[in-house]
């Protein structure tokens, strides 16, 4: 790897890590955890992704879909089940990647992807609204 590519990679990694700080705080609040838990989980996910040779565009931090899933687990079963559900999600991702099922992701139509994102925004807004009222 040449020096300019290394500098670009380091700068982009630093930029992404700075952007992940408020994201980790906000998603940990949605789930009902302390901000430190969001930071720790984001650091662990990013470290594991980098060890497993992450690819460009790979999401390895807190995301809205994970936060809303864990929000449901927290409300229905309690905070003690968050780690189990997160580990199960990681195992499922490894199975999907290991079996080569990712080639079918290209077949998902754009309206389905847009609908997923709109639904995710609605879930986050509803939770934000309910925590503000309580």
């Amino acid at each position: 790897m040449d020096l300019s590519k290394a500098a670009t990679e380091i700068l982009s990694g630093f930029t992404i890590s700075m952007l992940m700080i408020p994201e980790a705080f906000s998603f940990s609040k949605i789930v009902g955890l302390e901000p430190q838990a969001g930071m720790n989980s984001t650091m662990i996910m990013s470290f594991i992704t980098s060890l497993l040779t992450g690819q460009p565009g790979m999401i390895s931090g807190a995301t809205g879909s994970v936060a809303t899933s864990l929000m449901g687990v927290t409300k229905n079963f309690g905070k003690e089940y968050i780690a189990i559900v997160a580990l199960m999600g990681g195992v499922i991702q490894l199975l999907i990647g290991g079996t080569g099922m990712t080639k079918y992701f290209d077949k998902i139509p754009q309206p389905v992807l847009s609908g997923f994102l709109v639904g995710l925004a609605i879930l986050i807004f509803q939770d934000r609204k309910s925590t503000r009222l309580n």
Side-chain angles (χ1 to χ4, degrees):
M1 179 185 299
D2 63 3
L3 191 58
S4 65
K5 183 162 173 91
T8 302
E9 292 293 325
I10 290 170
L11 184 59
S12 65
F14 179 74
T15 304
I16 295 300
S17 65
M18 292 295 109
L19 292 171
M20 291 176 87
I21 292 172
E23 183 182 51
F25 285 170
S26 60
F27 287 139
S28 63
K29 178 145 176 57
I30 286 173
V31 176
L33 299 173
E34 296 295 320
Q36 186 63 37
M39 289 297 296
N40 290 340
S41 64
T42 299
M43 285 188 303
I44 290 168
M45 286 191 295
S46 298
F47 181 71
I48 290 173
T49 301
S50 66
L51 282 180
L52 297 176
T53 64
Q55 301 296 317
M58 182 180 282
I59 298 171
S60 61
T63 62
S65 57
V66 172
T68 54
S69 300
L70 293 180
M71 176 182 62
V73 170
T74 303
K75 286 184 178 180
N76 293 324
F77 302 107
K79 293 179 184 178
E80 57 271 7
Y81 290 98
I82 289 176
I84 294 169
V85 171
L87 285 172
M88 287 172 49
V91 168
I92 291 169
Q93 286 181 342
L94 287 172
L95 288 173
I96 289 172
T99 58
M101 291 177 58
T102 56
K103 64 184 173 190
Y104 298 112
F105 290 174
D106 291 340
K107 309 276 189 263
I108 300 172
Q110 187 63 36
V112 173
L113 295 174
S114 298
F116 171 77
L117 293 176
V118 169
L120 185 60
I122 290 169
L123 285 174
I124 291 172
F125 178 74
Q126 282 179 340
D127 181 62
R128 180 83 176 140
K129 190 173 154 186
S130 67
T131 55
R132 205 180 289 163
L133 295 175
N134 292 335

